[in-house]
Amino acid sequence: AQKVTQAQTEISVVEKEDVTLDCVYETRDTTYYLFWYKQPPSGELVFLIRRNSFDEQNEISGRYSWNFQKSTSSFNFTITASQVVDSAVYFCALSDKGGGGTSYGKLTFGQGTILTVHP
Amino acid sequence: KAGVTQTPRYLIKTRGQQVTLSCSPISGHRSVSWYQQTPGQGLQFLFEYFSETQRNKGNFPGRFSGRQFSNSRSEMNVSTLELGDSALYLCASSTNREGYAFFGQGTRLTVV
């Protein structure tokens, strides 16, 4: 069975601070996909980043960066120079892209981390 | 392009009743999944439909069911509602092309 753990329940920072959200996962699949989603108060989950298990290159996209380490089963997410609009609940998720690789229809989510960015 | 649309946005039902929620996926997406979000259990996978067939099912009782139509629109039904069914129900659609699942804004169900 797949499992995702986000140990940080809540994080509070002041604007312009960097913040890292931790995620640890468990899976028996050799090919899998990791995601970070953001959930603002409106409720909709907004996709942020995706990483494939077979690609351990870490990247930066604007103020977002991620550190994927297969050896420790971790997929951490960093927001640089945080802003008040970054305040939301952040979810790490895992998918094996089942069904013949045609969709990402079954996601296993972590419990979420509430990020509050103060002005 | 239009996103994932869920209707209604809010519902209040009485214990013992049944409820049907609707989800219209992004055009061209054949996979539709449903999730339940509660403060205690977090986000939990209910089921996935692909081309009108249930492809995956989460660990929920048989009171929770769904279906998908030929135009990929999906409905989920909960019968004999319990207080614990109060939750935000999220629908997502996906396809291989974009590389991730798109979510709707959800239906907030309150059972009284």
Side-chain angles (χ1 to χ4, degrees):
Chain A
Q2 299 184 332
K3 185 178 179 181
V4 177
T5 302
Q6 293 178 249
Q8 303 152 310
T9 304
E10 290 191 54
I11 298 177
S12 182
V13 299
V14 176
E15 207 169 20
K16 297 184 183 177
E17 282 186 37
D18 297 347
V19 56
T20 295
L21 308 179
D22 297 335
C23 173
V24 175
Y25 63 91
E26 295 176 27
T27 181
R28 294 179 183 171
D29 297 314
T30 54
T31 299
Y32 51 88
Y33 303 82
L34 294 161
F35 304 84
W36 278 97
Y37 280 87
K38 170 183 177 180
Q39 187 178 40
S42 61
E44 181 179 355
L45 285 168
V46 178
F47 167 78
L48 297 174
I49 58 174
R50 183 192 90 166
R51 177 52 57 193
N52 308 328
S53 60
F54 44 86
D55 182 1
E56 289 195 65
Q57 181 179 354
N58 293 309
E59 296 182 20
I60 297 174
S61 176
R63 295 189 299 111
Y64 301 153
S65 62
W66 50 97
N67 188 343
F68 173 42
Q69 293 198 353
K70 211 168 179 177
S71 59
T72 57
S73 297
S74 65
F75 184 50
N76 298 334
F77 174 64
T78 297
I79 302 173
T80 302
S82 60
Q83 301 174 1
V84 173
V85 293
D86 294 327
S87 297
V89 184
Y90 288 80
F91 290 95
C92 180
L94 171 66
S95 170
D96 62 1
K97 197 183 179 185
T102 53
S103 69
Y104 300 88
K106 182 180 179 184
L107 294 168
T108 299
F109 286 91
Q111 286 295 94
T113 298
I114 302 171
L115 173 64
T116 303
V117 181
H118 299 281
Chain B
K1 59 183 175 182
V4 178
T5 304
Q6 292 187 245
T7 56
R9 291 292 311 282
Y10 302 92
L11 264 181
I12 300 176
K13 288 287 188 178
T14 303
R15 193 170 45 182
Q17 288 185 314
Q18 75 165 18
V19 67
T20 300
L21 312 182
S22 180
C23 173
S24 293
I26 291 173
S27 178
H29 287 195
R30 290 192 291 166
S31 168
V32 175
S33 300
W34 289 88
Y35 296 85
Q36 182 196 63
Q37 185 176 22
T38 60
Q41 298 299 317
L43 271 161
Q44 293 186 287
F45 171 76
L46 279 157
F47 29 67
E48 179 199 8
Y49 285 86
F50 185 88
S51 294
E52 301 180 65
T53 301
Q54 187 180 85
R55 191 158 68 177
N56 278 300
K57 190 177 191 306
N59 189 24
F60 279 81
R63 300 185 297 107
F64 291 82
S65 62
R67 58 177 176 169
Q68 186 180 33
F69 302 95
S70 58
N71 62 358
S72 292
R73 190 177 70 85
S74 177
E75 290 181 346
M76 70 162 279
N77 184 77
V78 187
S79 62
T80 319
L81 284 166
E82 301 177 359
L83 296 179
D85 297 331
S86 295
L88 178 67
Y89 290 88
L90 290 163
C91 168
S93 72
S94 67
T95 187
N96 194 43
R97 189 171 56 251
E98 284 94 350
Y100 58 92
F102 293 75
F103 282 80
Q105 287 190 299
T107 294
R108 185 162 297 281
L109 171 66
T110 302
V111 182
V112 297

